[in-house]
Amino acid sequence: MSSWEDNVRRTTPYVFGEQPKAKDIIKLNTNENPYPPSPKVEEVLRSFDCSLLRKYPDPLISELTNALAAEYHLPADRIFVGVGSDDVLAMSFLTFFHGKKPVLFPDITYSFYDVWADLFEIPYECPALKDDLSICKEDYLKENGGIVIPNPNAPTGLLCPLSDLEEIVKMNPASVVIIDEAYGDFSGESMLPLTEKYDNLLVVMTFSKSRSLAGSRIGFAFGSKKLIARLQDIKFSFNSYTMDMLSIKVGVAALSDRDYFRSRVEEIIATREWTKEELQKLGFSFPDSKTNFIFATHEKVRAEVIFEKLKEKNIYVRYFNKPRIDNYLRISIGTKEEMEHLITVLKEIL
Ligand code: PMP
């Protein structure tokens, strides 16, 4: 007897970081921003006219797209907006990776890529990072059906030289190359200007980290007019009204407060550099992170042990029980006070 289960799609879902409910927890496990969003966001939420909610939101997300166009100095038809960069990336996988050759992404990288590839039945290969966890450019100069690389990479935190990435884009005119810049604002480098030069380059960004808006789910991508048009076609074949009215307004408000954005990013970078020095003194080593997290391993104590002990002390960091990285902890950068507390607790438990 056949069962309905024979006709149902099965997949192994993405494993998300824990979202503990208790209040007295220091949460350094999902790379959220420890600071609230711009006060302008609060103003917009307080003055929002609830009666508007009876209508559908603008399917073109024009208000936010135009604000992004003004902020990043490029035409609105080269911008795609989605519900977090996860949505932008998922739509991009569905749109751009439709060939028979394998899509390439590093073996150690954002753990959603293989989930989307499996879900959409996209063949893929994962070239190994070098021993120092950096990307080997040559691995991306062979035949492929598309490429996705985060820059800086996650969870390593390492930045790949833009010249290497440009060569990858240039040498792969028959593939779409996606550069995921979820953490790009903390690195100060971006491939965005190169989207003018290469029509096969898509640069993806998010409001979740540098703009403190993980809860509003706002992501966006820059690319050639042609790439963006293809993405829009797939989006409108899936769900027209992706972004809700409030998020659209929240995004515009956050973008309008450039000073707040810059000062918070600088604060996080300063805390990151302080934390690196302190961790080093305690016997940790790590790739030189250009993000809002540090991927650290200890000379004596196993990462899993430190992870459990920190949890007992109400400090959550991320541990991945995966080959090659099972002795590392990914520690998000919190406020200076939170990181001072982390260091104090580490001194106790090591
Ligand atoms: N890309 C990378 C590399 C990430 O680490 C994350 C955060 N989990 C995302 C994309 C997705 O972020 P969001 O959907 O919140 O924009």
Side-chain angles (χ1 to χ4, degrees):
M1 258 277 267
S2 64
S3 137
W4 59 265
E5 292 205 60
D6 301 333
N7 299 313
V8 170
R9 191 187 298 274
R10 280 179 184 229
T11 197
T12 308
Y14 171 71
V15 181
F16 40 83
E18 270 180 276
Q19 295 289 7
K21 295 274 186 298
K23 283 236 154 50
D24 56 347
I25 269 167
I26 296 189
K27 195 171 174 304
L28 308 175
N29 68 336
T30 47
N31 299 341
E32 287 145 339
N33 195 309
Y35 301 108
S38 154
K40 291 198 192 308
V41 167
E42 191 169 340
E43 272 169 42
V44 148
L45 288 173
R46 285 194 189 284
S47 61
F48 185 76
D49 174 4
C50 279
S51 69
L52 291 174
L53 288 178
R54 70 189 177 78
K55 291 190 183 167
Y56 285 107
D58 171 16
L60 297 170
I61 319 179
S62 306
E63 204 183 335
L64 181 52
T65 308
N66 290 335
L68 285 164
E71 183 62 22
Y72 288 90
H73 310 293
L74 72 177
D77 59 8
R78 298 224 285 109
I79 304 174
F80 179 83
V81 177
V83 184
S85 56
D86 280 342
D87 179 45
V88 176
L89 287 162
M91 287 295 121
S92 302
F93 271 55
L94 195 54
T95 310
F96 301 126
F97 299 158
H98 194 52
K100 301 240 177 323
K101 293 177 198 148
V103 165
L104 306 177
F105 48 87
D107 64 336
I108 300 169
T109 195
Y110 184 32
S111 51
F112 223 138
Y113 298 156
D114 56 348
V115 174
W116 288 314
D118 286 335
L119 178 63
F120 301 138
E121 297 175 0
I122 299 165
Y124 61 95
E125 272 173 24
C126 299
L129 294 182
K130 295 186 206 161
D131 287 344
D132 65 0
L133 300 181
S134 64
I135 284 169
C136 179
K137 175 186 71 180
E138 284 71 28
D139 288 340
Y140 299 87
L141 302 180
K142 60 178 189 184
E143 270 210 298
N144 64 75
I147 292 173
V148 54
I149 298 176
N151 202 42
N153 194 8
T156 65
L158 276 179
L159 194 65
C160 180
L162 296 193
S163 53
D164 282 6
L165 293 177
E166 178 169 6
E167 198 179 331
I168 291 171
V169 176
K170 194 174 170 179
M171 301 303 282
N172 284 289
S175 297
V176 174
V177 179
I178 300 175
I179 303 297
D180 176 355
E181 294 190 358
Y183 302 99
D185 290 328
F186 302 105
S187 78
E189 294 196 12
S190 176
M191 291 285 279
L192 169 60
L194 293 171
T195 59
E196 190 88 53
K197 197 164 162 194
Y198 300 101
D199 69 355
N200 60 327
L201 169 64
L202 190 82
V203 175
V204 180
M205 300 185 187
T206 179
F207 281 56
S208 294
K209 321 288 179 183
S210 54
R211 295 184 191 271
S212 304
L213 283 170
S216 276
R217 314 303 302 124
I218 308 171
F220 54 106
F222 299 118
S224 60
K225 213 170 137 174
K226 257 195 199 161
L227 280 189
I228 298 301
R230 290 295 171 99
L231 255 181
Q232 297 284 25
D233 286 347
I234 295 294
K235 171 201 151 158
F236 289 122
S237 310
F238 196 80
N239 179 3
S240 308
Y241 306 106
T242 50
M243 181 158 288
D244 68 272
M245 277 179 195
L246 273 163
S247 293
I248 294 173
K249 296 249 178 263
V250 158
V252 172
L255 266 186
S256 74
D257 202 349
R258 201 182 291 157
D259 290 345
Y260 182 88
F261 162 68
R262 289 203 176 133
S263 68
R264 290 308 200 192
V265 166
E266 276 167 23
E267 221 165 331
I268 289 169
I269 292 172
T271 308
R272 177 187 76 203
E273 296 307 310
W274 176 86
T275 308
K276 281 181 189 170
E277 284 175 25
E278 296 300 312
L279 287 176
Q280 224 154 15
K281 287 184 210 159
L282 293 177
F284 284 96
S285 56
F286 36 81
D288 189 23
S289 169
K290 297 290 178 200
T291 61
N292 66 336
F293 57 84
I294 298 171
F295 197 51
T297 184
H298 193 264
E299 60 191 1
K300 292 205 185 87
V301 190
R302 296 281 311 164
E304 198 172 4
V305 174
I306 305 174
F307 169 75
E308 291 299 343
K309 285 192 176 171
L310 285 175
K311 209 168 173 181
E312 279 165 23
K313 302 270 185 185
N314 280 346
I315 300 177
Y316 282 62
V317 298
R318 191 90 195 256
Y319 172 70
F320 300 94
N321 194 0
K322 288 187 174 174
R324 292 187 78 194
I325 56 169
D326 62 356
N327 199 21
Y328 282 85
L329 295 173
R330 194 194 65 190
I331 306 168
S332 308
I333 303 300
T335 60
K336 183 76 186 291
E337 295 70 35
E338 286 174 326
M339 301 319 275
E340 281 168 352
H341 183 66
L342 168 77
I343 297 297
T344 307
V345 172
L346 281 172
K347 281 179 184 158
E348 285 166 29
I349 65 181
L350 286 171

